[in-house]
Amino acid sequence: MRLHHFLTRLRDLAGWRRALLAALLGALCAAAQAPLYLWPLAFVAFIALLLINGGKPGWRSFFTIYAFVYGYFVAGLYWIGISFFVDAERFALLVPLPVLGLPLLLALFPAGGAWIAQRLAGRSEIYRILLFPVGWTLGEWLRSFVLTGFPWNLIGYIWGDWPAAMQSAAVFGSHGLGALTLFAAAGLTLLIRPGTSRRVRIAALTLPAALIVSIAAGGLRLIQAEPETVAGVQLRLVQPSLPQTLKWRDELRQKNLQQHVDLSVAPAEKAPTHIIWPETAIPYLLDESDVLRTSLARLAPPGGALIAGSIRRSFDAEQKLAVYNSLFALDEAGEIQARYDKLHLVPFGEYLPFRRWLAPLGLDALAVGSVDFSDGGPASPVAIPGLPSSRVLICYEAIFPAEIVPRGEARPGLLLNITNDAWFGYSSGPYQHFAASRFRAVEQGLPLARAANNGVSAIVDSYGRVIARLDLDEVGTVDGPLPVALPPTPYAGWGDWPVVLFSMALLLFAALLGRRQRRG
């Protein structure tokens, strides 16, 4: 009775008090993401939201869910604003746009999906609770590609520090793992909800049980996993941790480059076959400088390569400039053996969307100013001497589950991620970025080598387990063998479609059931 009275009072909240409570619950949920990984708080937050958001699924219900998601994104994505202080004179006043404005847009996807699903459920509060995960999951899926996509901090990522729980992503993907998590929260909600019948409570137990079974199955999968490595490959990942404010200063470019060189030649227990530098590690135009390539070639191990990020430019027949964020593989003779140009660029970071209209307002791209980066492609595996075929992922590209191995492209043997998270200082952003990258390894059954200027540099096996790592703000190298790739996972073959189609089928069933209820 006390719980019923308490919930009744919470449900009666209106206006800003109700919105504030929902936003605080969303912020609490954000603590379940990296680096804290306080995943029980996600269950507390979602259960509380579902309990207080009872009653008719009208506009008040939508704004309650929306406030929850808004709080979740503000607390989880605050770190984007830190990048605006790298060039504070130009961009500091714009900090409210990403910190408070971007969540206004992002919240529409899961909140809109969850609310529509609850509307379809009709008068039954139990059905509305059960359909909440379906709508949220579809909204999150849409968020991964609409307006170029931004699938950051998916609910499934709360398990990013627990390899056993991560293994479900090899079958259902990160969206599917998130759906399992939300269904578990819905089941627990029905268990403690006042007025739920005994029969419904018994049935609701199957939902958290399904999540527990999936974690147990993941643990069994890891027990049976053999730690195999690729013969003849020894990696060295270089992390100089250069502050972004100093990275591109003209008088420091040579010094910064020398730091990469010094780390590359530091003593190692086992000589590396491949040295990997992070995104834009070379502050010069590598492909246009024979002298630079000859100088760096001495770092490339025999039969291996020096792999590094650098800016590249080209001119078309009309001398129009194109600039690319690229990766190069340099052999011991100073020859460029492989190149990849970043395909999925960061809006407002690497290019200014709608430049024709926004540039006159004084806006500009954060990283490149008045000249936008151009997108490269295709997303084909890159052949680097001595390595399995590699799917190169430059920074932001690692967050998109569906873009890792596009349909029609050959399956790679390695995920090679170079990045620079120094833009975001000492914050949760770099840890969240690393968590997303680990999930790509699990989903595809592929090892991950990740070199960051600052952030988290690591070697991750095909089960998402960290073999070796260097944390945020640490200067040094990560040395280790390359884990082997697994056979294609179910997710590698199916992608997100089973989860999406199943969710749509549930919504269609709910719509038909709701229509029948209204007629009755």
Side-chain angles (χ1 to χ4, degrees):
M1 292 299 293
R2 289 181 178 179
L3 177 61
H4 180 73
H5 178 69
F6 179 66
L7 289 176
T8 300
R9 291 190 62 183
L10 290 180
R11 287 183 177 185
D12 289 342
L13 288 176
W16 67 268
R17 292 181 178 84
R18 184 181 182 89
L20 179 60
L21 175 61
L24 290 175
L25 288 172
L28 184 71
C29 186
Q33 295 286 354
L36 299 179
Y37 288 116
L38 300 176
W39 57 264
L41 294 183
F43 286 92
V44 171
F46 278 112
I47 291 170
L49 174 66
L50 290 170
L51 287 173
I52 68 173
N53 199 40
K56 295 180 179 180
W59 285 109
R60 189 172 82 156
S61 174
F62 169 76
F63 286 116
T64 301
I65 301 172
Y66 183 84
F68 177 95
V69 188
Y70 182 74
Y72 174 69
F73 283 131
V74 169
L77 300 177
Y78 72 91
W79 48 267
I80 297 178
I82 296 174
S83 63
F84 283 60
F85 288 99
V86 171
D87 189 352
E89 186 176 341
R90 296 172 63 202
F91 296 111
L93 293 178
L94 299 178
V95 167
L97 289 178
V99 176
L100 301 177
L102 180 61
L104 290 173
L105 174 63
L106 296 178
L108 289 172
F109 291 94
W115 181 68
I116 291 171
Q118 291 191 325
R119 292 277 294 181
L120 293 175
R123 297 189 294 267
S124 172
E125 185 176 343
I126 292 175
Y127 287 163
R128 291 201 297 274
I129 290 172
L130 291 174
L131 283 176
F132 177 91
V134 177
W136 181 291
T137 299
L138 286 175
E140 289 284 70
W141 175 69
L142 288 172
R143 183 165 67 92
S144 68
F145 60 86
V146 173
L147 298 176
T148 79
F150 190 62
W152 201 280
N153 280 2
L154 302 176
I155 292 301
Y157 292 170
I158 69 173
W159 306 110
D161 203 35
W162 190 357
M166 295 173 68
Q167 299 311 302
S168 294
V171 180
F172 307 114
S174 298
H175 291 294
L177 178 55
L180 273 175
T181 304
L182 290 171
F183 272 118
L188 293 173
T189 303
L190 291 176
L191 285 175
I192 65 175
R193 170 182 171 272
T196 302
S197 67
R198 183 172 179 271
R199 184 179 65 178
V200 171
R201 282 195 170 94
I202 293 174
L205 280 172
T206 61
L207 297 177
L211 178 61
I212 293 171
V213 168
S214 75
I215 295 174
L220 181 61
R221 183 178 191 241
L222 294 179
I223 291 173
Q224 297 173 337
E226 295 292 337
E228 299 180 66
T229 58
V230 178
V233 176
Q234 180 74 6
L235 304 178
R236 165 160 283 190
L237 315 179
V238 171
Q239 180 170 301
S241 292
L242 298 171
Q244 192 61 34
T245 52
L246 304 179
K247 181 174 169 59
W248 290 102
R249 288 176 59 173
D250 289 338
E251 69 274 19
L252 295 177
R253 289 192 185 195
Q254 185 60 43
K255 179 183 176 182
N256 293 341
L257 181 62
Q258 187 61 46
Q259 184 173 353
H260 287 82
V261 173
D262 293 342
L263 289 170
S264 299
V265 299
E269 291 185 10
K270 186 175 181 181
T273 61
H274 296 81
I275 298 172
I276 305 174
W277 291 2
E279 179 186 14
T280 61
I282 300 175
Y284 305 100
L285 297 171
L286 178 66
D287 57 337
E288 297 184 20
S289 175
D290 294 338
V291 173
L292 180 58
R293 291 199 304 275
T294 300
S295 176
L296 294 179
R298 63 187 177 87
L299 299 175
L306 170 65
I307 303 164
S310 180
I311 302 300
R312 185 178 76 85
R313 67 180 180 178
S314 67
F315 296 90
D316 62 17
E318 299 177 354
Q319 294 300 301
K320 183 179 179 181
L321 174 66
V323 181
Y324 300 91
N325 187 353
S326 304
L327 172 141
F328 293 92
L330 193 69
D331 68 13
E332 58 188 306
E335 298 294 328
I336 295 173
Q337 294 294 328
R339 191 195 78 217
Y340 170 81
D341 299 324
K342 187 175 182 182
L343 177 60
H344 199 138
L345 302 175
V346 182
F348 298 98
E350 293 173 309
Y351 71 98
L352 181 66
F354 313 110
R355 176 173 287 279
R356 180 179 176 183
W357 295 278
L358 295 182
L361 299 178
L363 296 178
D364 227 326
L366 188 64
V368 294
S370 60
V371 179
D372 292 335
F373 277 111
S374 298
D375 57 333
S380 304
V382 175
I384 297 175
L387 286 180
S389 62
S390 304
R391 172 63 167 103
V392 177
L393 304 166
I394 298 180
C395 191
Y396 184 68
E397 293 181 308
I399 73 170
F400 297 93
E403 296 181 10
I404 302 303
V405 185
R407 293 203 175 275
E409 294 291 344
R411 175 176 165 81
L414 166 67
L415 301 179
L416 179 54
N417 181 207
I418 60 171
T419 187
N420 176 23
D421 292 340
W423 286 95
F424 309 110
Y426 193 86
S427 68
S428 57
Y431 290 104
Q432 294 170 3
H433 197 186
F434 177 54
S437 302
R438 286 180 67 185
F439 269 94
R440 303 295 83 79
V442 179
E443 290 165 348
Q444 297 293 334
L446 295 173
L448 167 73
R450 187 176 197 266
N453 167 46
N454 194 11
V456 180
S457 296
I459 299 172
V460 178
D461 74 5
S462 302
Y463 299 92
R465 297 175 297 191
V466 177
I467 305 303
R469 70 181 283 171
L470 206 61
D471 273 323
L472 188 62
D473 281 352
E474 293 187 28
V475 177
T477 61
V478 176
D479 294 348
L482 175 64
V484 299
L486 299 176
T489 62
Y491 180 81
W494 302 335
D496 293 315
W497 287 111
V499 172
V500 171
L501 293 176
F502 178 70
S503 298
M504 288 180 173
L506 286 178
L507 288 186
L508 178 60
F509 175 77
L512 294 174
L513 186 63
R515 184 179 181 184
R516 184 176 179 182
Q517 287 178 344
R518 288 190 294 271
R519 286 182 174 179

